[in-house]
Amino acid sequence: MTNQARVVLPTAPNFRDLGGYTTHDGARVRPGVAYRSDALHRLSDDDLRALGGLGVRQVVDLRTEFERQSNPDRVPDGAEYTSLDVQGDHSTGADLVAVLSDPARARTVFADGGAERFMHDVNRILVSGADARAGYAELLRRVAAGPGATVFHCSAGKDRTGWGAALLLTLLGVPRETVFADYLASNGRLAHLQESFRAAVEGAGVDLELVWPMVECRTSYLETAFTEVEKVYGSFGAYAAEGLGLAPGDLAALRERMLE
């Protein structure tokens, strides 16, 4: 089942409700509880009011410190803001702007498929990195506890947010093909960001083809994350219990909150 819950925020085009999906056993993910998004620093006044009108009471920012300081979120009145940097000090969380501002360095870093390798590395780290495991566990507990709705996001809302959404939906029992469809839906929502990236890269004198794999969601990237789960933990259940430290009560609370 595709997600029928459609909320449009023109200044956050990758904002969407995770509700509406059907699980393996026929339950439905409750709309209006958890939203995924791209960054919220661009929100217009109208979209900020709309976000508040959806009952959003928690904003969880998965970005690095550099990203947060450069582009601080706009948060609805009365909402709690929390930063959960899921990349931390790992090299995949480094400031890519610095790399792209140096064409010679960028050619070295991204040569011979380097950008694609980087994306696979990111997806592995989002599963097994210590900062990622702590951050995603806290995100899930916050979604389960409320109050009100939670929106979680990174910059484009496709990779760090994409794994957060895949993790949440998988734990709720949503079929894998639906999880992948939700992940890939970012590609149709980020045209303006891709064009901005194109202009910045070309303006910096960097070959666009070298770095283009970084602006797309690809099935292979998410497959890498699920493969990392199996490789490191053996199963998704073991990943939740051992990797994320989620107790049975945590998972029960999440399902109680999110399923109808």
Side-chain angles (χ1 to χ4, degrees), residues 14 92 122 144 168 194 202 218 224 243 246 251:
N14 209 10
T92 59
V122 165
L168 177 60
Q194 291 175 342
E202 292 178 342
R218 298 182 179 181
T224 289
L246 296 174
L251 297 176

Side-chain angles (χ1 to χ4, degrees), residues 31-89:
V33 178
Y35 298 93
R36 56 175 295 175
S37 185
D38 44 337
L40 304 180
H41 67 278
R42 292 180 297 267
L43 285 180
S44 66
D45 290 343
D46 286 345
D47 284 354
L48 184 61
R49 283 190 292 271
L51 197 63
L54 292 171
V56 170
R57 295 296 175 265
Q58 293 191 90
V59 173
V60 177
D61 189 343
L62 304 177
R63 297 177 298 169
T64 63
E65 182 180 6
F66 177 87
E67 292 170 296
R68 298 192 307 270
Q69 291 182 349
S70 300
N71 295 299
D73 276 350
R74 301 194 70 190
V75 178
D77 289 341
E80 178 184 359
Y81 171 85
T82 302
S83 63
L84 298 175
D85 184 348
V86 294
Q87 288 178 284
D89 294 330

